[in-house]
Amino acid sequence: MVRVEDLTVAYGGIEAVRGVSLEVGEGELVTLIGNNGAGKTSTLMAISGMAPIRSGRIVIDGEETTKLPPHAIVARGVAHCPEGRLVFGRLTVQENLRLGAYQRKDSAGVKQDLDRVYALFPRLLERRSQLAGTLSGGEQQMLAIGRALMSRPRLLMLDEPSLGLAPLIVQRIFSVIQQLHEEGVTILLVEQNAHLALTVADRAYVLETGEVRLAGPAKQLIDNPEVRKAYLSQ
Amino acid sequence: MFTPTYVAQQIINGVNLGSMYALIAIGLTMVYGLLRLINFAHGDLLMLGAYLGLLLVSAAFTPLILTLFIPMLVIGFVGILVERLAYRPLRGAPEVTMLITSLAVSSIIENSMVMTVTAQPRAFNLPAGVNQLHTVAGVSFSTLDALTVGLSVALMAALTLYVRNTRTGIAMRAAAENLRAARLMGIDINRVVMVAFFLGSMLAAAAGWLWAAKYSTVEPFMGFLPGLKAFVAAVIGGIGVIPGAVLGGYLLGFAEIFFVGFLPPAYSGYRDAFVFALLLLILLIRPNGILGASTEERA
Ligand SMILES: Nc1ncnc2c1ncn2[C@@H]1O[C@H](COP(=O)(O)OP(=O)(O)O)[C@@H](O)[C@H]1O
Ligand SMILES: [Mg+2]
């Protein structure tokens, strides 16, 4: 579905991502773990057409998208739920969700997906006319995920969906991620909570200072001594 | 000394001036919200709109309403053109680069007008009926005053409906709040910016026509002061937020009229200084303007 080849992202002189290659196949749930500053967000932003790519290629469905603007990436079925949620605080919950479907023309389908998001997150339905800025952190994360789902994506990229949330809400969000995976949505999940991520994922990449350090099936990595030491603090 | 009719008269004048400031400020605030660009050329589009209006008014066979609507439409496209040629190549450049560029665009437009139509002010005379005075309960206003307020309110209401309810309008508000997140939604920012320039320039042209009609004159530098004051209005109201521009415009219009109308005539020469003092005062109390997002909200 998406392939990243030898990607280097640089902000001015700083190389945040150095020669990263990774792949997410149709229907897979792949996670990208690593410490703060490892280059996870930059990698997702590069796929979305939002990061300064110095070299390398991004290929979506066999077609190179390296130089395409973000709206063209969205048009190819990619939804990106960014780190820090970035909901539109001055817009209502429902307006936020509708923006997730900005490029869609099938209003009947959009309506259907709106109902589906409200069924997944009933809290959002209760608050649909409220300004998103008035929601709690957990509700904002649900809104950000719901907004990403509104494009009916084929590839869903989630950047730290558990960051700063209470355990109960994290559980809720991860059960939704698993449900989407079962429905066949391709997912690329970035997490600092490595244990949680490795539990739900099929495969994983471990990023360290901009480079892929380890890669493999999640079940293997979870038992890897190096991973256990560095990321699972065991 | 200040009779009720005098006060009412001042209120009418304040609404009048405020309407025009509000119309101009909306375009400035929309563009600033999207691009962080202080568009000094905005006042010059107002001026171009006024000249085009003059051209049509002089061709006496054009129905009056078209002498207003045609310039609005044309200047809307001129706004798109200015953005395409001057501002789009600078996307992502530092704010100060964009600011200098807009000053350059402004002086290019003004000087081109001086070269082609000279700096000589020209009379902008509407059919006599438009300046006819009506008196209601001792308060008098012209048909033009009523037209100014009615048209401004109608245009602002239409814009508000557009920005509230349409897909592009919602995208515009989203992009003004968080450009990166808006791009991640698949919004083509260039398209939204184009619509903002079109609508904002259209309103500036309407204000230019009304301004020219009110002062019965047009000249190449007529856009400078209204543009600057409308910018003050936008900042007072909270730059980037459309209702803020409207509120700021009316506030400034009233403040200016009341300053001149209720203080001894010796002070009236200081009205512009007063406007800027008011700006400083409001920003001391509300650094982001009256309706602007507080810093915590933005985080
Ligand atoms: N917009 C930016 N400008 C400059 N440096 C950045 C920017 N975004 C990220 N970086 C730097 O790039 C490196 C990787 O950051 P990031 O991709 O956010 O990592 P992660 O998501 O794994 O924490 C960090 O050193 C960070 O400081
Ligand atoms: Mg990150």
Side-chain angles (χ1 to χ4, degrees), chain A residues 11 14 16-17 34-43 83 159-160 190:
Chain A
Y11 304 99
I14 308 157
V17 176
N35 289 326
N36 211 353
K40 306 180 297 293
T41 298
S42 300
T43 304
E83 183 177 351
D159 197 345
E160 311 252 13
V190 161

Side-chain angles (χ1 to χ4, degrees), chain B residues 16-17 20-21 23-24 43 45-58 64 67-68 71 121-127 130-131 142 144-145 147-148 151 203-223 226:
Chain B
N16 230 304
L17 188 61
M20 292 192 282
Y21 284 155
L23 281 182
I24 308 165
L45 294 195
L46 174 156
M47 174 271 292
L48 291 178
Y51 268 96
L52 198 53
L54 173 65
L55 192 73
L56 294 168
V57 168
S58 316
L64 194 62
T67 70
L68 170 65
R122 283 159 202 269
F124 187 99
N125 289 323
L126 293 173
V130 177
N131 289 314
S142 67
L144 178 65
D145 290 334
L147 181 72
T148 300
L151 181 78
L203 297 188
W209 190 96
L210 294 169
W211 196 278
K214 183 170 173 63
Y215 300 106
S216 307
T217 169
V218 297
E219 46 96 5
F221 303 101
M222 66 180 281

Side-chain angles (χ1 to χ4, degrees), chain A residues 1 26-28 48 60-61 73-81 97 100-104 106 109 113 116-117 120 144-158 180-181 183-188, chain B residues 184-185:
Chain A
M1 166 86 222
E26 202 81 50
E28 263 193 316
S48 279
I60 296 174
D61 287 327
I73 310 284
V74 172
R76 281 161 175 74
V78 177
H80 186 156
C81 177
L97 291 174
Y102 179 75
Q103 292 195 352
R104 292 178 59 181
D106 57 322
D113 285 350
R116 171 158 161 261
V117 168
L120 278 175
I145 295 175
R147 187 180 63 177
L149 290 177
M150 286 301 295
S151 66
R152 199 176 279 187
R154 296 193 306 112
L155 171 66
L156 174 63
M157 301 198 291
L158 299 161
L180 293 169
H181 179 38
E183 288 171 18
V185 180
T186 309
I187 298 173
L188 179 54
Chain B
L184 282 180
M185 297 302 102

